[in-house]
């Protein structure tokens, strides 16, 4: 289902949707772009460069309570279910790389075993994508990893900005639903509109992006160089923080802890939080042995998971080329550069 | 402008003569505007060395990280490390010396003056460019800074682009360097010291508390601020639940009884605890390199917390960290004249 929305009607569409859902859209908060809740009557511009934090938190929040527990007088623990009751949510301005990352996250959380927490959130969120008419970050490389600035994967709606209007394409039932429910705001698509969409998409592809020439060659090189000393060299400046993975739209590792709120009776919650392969305790054994002892081994894990292991198990890169891990690394560690160095095999 | 060839030549000489095992400096980055750390171990590599207002990072961190790394290295090369250091970076080195974390003969300092004004603040650039990443930035003297980005360019006034710490910097060159490059300029054209923190400190407590609550709520506890800080060198951090040290000799009881001061969840209360404890642990130690604030992906103004304590240390104890390696550190010393009698 496709339709045209005049630019000045976007606000009205959002207002109508606010009757039944919480709306999020990129906002310039503290000098960075962030998905923020849209207040009644607030203007949404959709001219953002890529948000610092990706859209994954709408399906995989940094903290999820799995259940609550209470143990009284050494009786067996009483558990209370806390499967999330999620408000209907519509997220505007999702870039295609974040959409494609959602496909990867679905693989992890819903294939074989469906994670009820993830699924409950997923069922209630509508991702409205925005095609990138120009690269929203200087480190974009979606094309190299099989994506495109107007990829539809993982999105419910894809909007493309044209002169004074948006082309709005619903891609799923959830997507059709939010377009249909405000049907009178939209106009039919004419042939000229489709020409403009084609043009906008073609121009977008002409912008130069960062690039990796052959993902197959990179995967092969990674396989060959597991034990190479290059990893220590590449990771020499790495400070071992969590920026690259926490900000990655497809990093999905988590930790589970009990958070005790009262000692007697023992009360608390079992919670799942984001975890991070760049932290030292990620692979720490209780013996004290750590198989990924240094930053070199940890960087290797991150790059290989993205560009090799995920390809081996799911036949797709786990990286969608959003560029966040490059832009936000405090010391310039760059997955594109690493892929190229690996492929070319030039190091001492 | 400091001729970068001079620094390259010195770095090259140090490496060729085998006086150092590596030189830590800056080189251009493929990731973006800011220069990245370079670990040069051969004379050839020094050709890539750069020095300009994008050399923001504090390389003193790597003196700490290298020390940790060398502990596990099979053969340890005992030669010193050469390090390019700005005024603030060199104060960090001095604090490490004051605290006996490193020895003076373990480093050869290639000190550089920030004679052109200071370092770029990427947050300010982001603000001016509404999030578009800058691809280059050049000082044009009085005229300001010429900035380009994908699809355009503009000229911005220096104070809109320079880091606050540089605007407020008291000594914009190293006091302790083995080799020195540039002019020692004492007159700074910018604002007074503590300008940014004073503006916040004068607000009412409710307003300040709301200010910090809103910021701490946004923290994702990626620990980049702690990981980048040269003063946060503890092997185990009380407020970082992700770096417990467990060794072969740690007993089962010790593991079981480990106190977890804060939960892993990045909730406002845990985040506040994290930041408050970290700030207190930096009182009289933070030398205002601004790295913690720079690396924060969500722009939490951490520098305000640390400069507040720096101001307290100065006002209450007339203490400035990092200016004299022989000076006992604030936390580990006391004076007979201390106003609090519990100390005496
Ligand atoms: S690995 Fe980096 S570039 Fe790839 S999706 Fe994650 S953050 Fe984006
Ligand atoms: S690669 Fe960069 S962002 Fe990732 S852990 Fe290392 S320093 Fe932090
Ligand atoms: S760098 Fe920022 S987001 Fe990360 S832990 Fe520090 S304050 Fe929080
Ligand atoms: S607290 Fe921040 S400003 Fe102070 S020394 Fe550490 S990183 Fe630098």
């Amino acid at each position: 289902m496709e339709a045209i929305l005049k630019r000045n009607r976007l606000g009205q569409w959002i207002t109508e949707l606010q009757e039944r859902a919480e709306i999020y859209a990129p906002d310039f908060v503290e000098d960075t772009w962030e998905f923020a809740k849209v207040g009644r009557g607030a203007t949404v511009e959709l001219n953002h460069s890529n948000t610092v934090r990706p859209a994954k938190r709408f399906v995989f929040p940094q903290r999820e309570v799995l259940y609550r527990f209470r143990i009284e007088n050494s009786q067996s623990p009483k558990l209370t279910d806390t499967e999330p009751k999620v408000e209907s949510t519509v997220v505007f301005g999702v870039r295609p790389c974040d959409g494609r990352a959602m496909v990867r996250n679905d693989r992890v959380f819903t294939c074989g075993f469906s994670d009820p927490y993830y699924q409950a959130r997923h069922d209630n969120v509508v991702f409205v994508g925005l095609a990138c008419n120009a690269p929203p970050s200087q480190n974009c490389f979606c094309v190299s990893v099989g994506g495109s600035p107007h990829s539809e994967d993982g999105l419910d709606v894809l909007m493309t900005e044209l002169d004074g209007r948006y082309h709005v394409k619903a891609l799923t039932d959830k997507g059709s639903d939010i377009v249909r429910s405000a049907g009178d705001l939209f106009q039919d698509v004419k042939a000229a509109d489709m020409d403009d969409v084609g043009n906008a998409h073609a121009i977008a592809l002409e912008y130069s992006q960062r690039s990796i020439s052959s993902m197959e060659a990179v995967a092969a090189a990674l396989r060959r160089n597991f034990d190479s000393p290059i990893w220590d060299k590449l990771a020499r400046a790495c400070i071992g923080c969590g920026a690259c993975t926490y900000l990655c739209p497809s990093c999905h590792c988590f930790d589970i802890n009990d958070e005790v709120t009262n000692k007697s009776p023992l009360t608390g919650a079992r919670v799942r939080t984001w975890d991070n392969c760049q932290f030292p305790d990620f692979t720490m054994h209780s013996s004290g042995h750590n198989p990924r002892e240094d930053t070199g081994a940890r960087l290797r894990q991150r790059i290989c998971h993205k560009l090799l292991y995920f390809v081996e198990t799911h036949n797709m890169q786990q990286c969608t080329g959003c560029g966040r891990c490059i832009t936000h690394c405090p010391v310039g560690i760059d997955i594109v550069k690493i892929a190229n160095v690996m492929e070319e095999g030039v190091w001492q | 402008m400091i001729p970068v060839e001079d620094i390259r030549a010195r770095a090259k000489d140090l490496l060729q003569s085998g006086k150092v095992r590596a030189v830590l400096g800056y080189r251009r980055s493929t990731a973006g505007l800011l220069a990245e750390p370079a670990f040069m171990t051969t004379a050839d590599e020094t050709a890539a060395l750069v020095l300009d207002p994008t050399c923001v990072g504090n390389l003193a961190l790597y003196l700490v990280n290298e020390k940790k790394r060398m502990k596990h290295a099979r053969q340890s090369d005992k030669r010193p490390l050469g390090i390019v250091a700005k005024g603030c970076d060199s104060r960090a080195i001095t604090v490490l010396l004051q605290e006996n974390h490193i020895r003076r003969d373990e480093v050869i300092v290639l000190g550089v003056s920030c004679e052109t004004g200071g370092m770029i603040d990427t947050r300010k650039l982001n603000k001016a460019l509404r999030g578009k990443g800058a691809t280059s930035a050049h000082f044009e003297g009085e005229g300001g800074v010429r900035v380009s980005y994908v699809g355009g360019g503009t000229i911005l006034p220096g104070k809109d682009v320079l880091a606050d710490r540089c605007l407020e910097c008291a000594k914009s060159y190293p006091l302790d360097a083995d080799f020195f490059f540039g002019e020692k300029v004492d007159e700074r054209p910018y604002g007074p010291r503590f300008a940014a923190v004073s503006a916040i400190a004068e607000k009412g407590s409710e307003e300040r508390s709301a200010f910090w609550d809103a910021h701490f709520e946004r923290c994702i506890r990626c620990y980049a601020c702690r990981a980048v800080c040269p003063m946060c060198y503890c092997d185990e951090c009380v407020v970082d639940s992700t770096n417990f040290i467990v060794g072969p000799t740690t007993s089962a009881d010790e593991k079981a009884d480990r106190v977890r001061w804060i939960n892993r969840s990045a909730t406002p209360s845990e985040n506040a605890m994290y930041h408050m404890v970290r700030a207190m642990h930096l009182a009289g130690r933070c030398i205002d390199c601004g790295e913690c604030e720079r690396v924060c992906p969500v722009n939490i103004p951490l520098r305000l917390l640390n400069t507040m304590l720096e101001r307290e240390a100065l006002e209450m104890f007339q203490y400035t960290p990092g200016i004299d390696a022989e000076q006992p550190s604030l936390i580990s010393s006391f004076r007979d004249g201390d106003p609090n009698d519990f100390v005496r």
Side-chain angles (χ1 to χ4, degrees), chain B residues 89-108:
Chain B
D89 309 338
S90 86
R91 289 194 288 279
I93 298 172
T94 303
V95 172
L96 295 174
L97 294 170
Q98 280 181 279
E99 298 181 352
N100 294 319
H101 192 73
I102 53 169
R103 289 193 325 267
R104 187 64 184 83
D105 61 7
E106 288 173 326
V107 280
I108 292 188

Side-chain angles (χ1 to χ4, degrees), chain B residues 16 18 25 59 72-73 93 107-108 127 130 138 145 173 205 208-209 211 222 264 267 319:
Chain B
Q16 260 165 355
L59 301 175
H72 303 289
I93 298 172
V107 280
I108 292 188
K127 184 187 180 121
R130 294 265 308 168
H138 296 287
V145 182
Y173 53 85
S205 60
R208 273 181 291 145
S209 143
F211 174 87
C222 63
R264 183 123 200 208
T267 51
Y319 181 87

Side-chain angles (χ1 to χ4, degrees), chain B residues 6 8 14-15 37 87 174 193 200 221 233 341:
Chain B
D6 294 359
R8 285 183 192 147
L14 287 170
L15 285 165
R193 249 184 117 189
I200 297 287
R221 287 245 302 287
Y233 53 58
D341 40 333

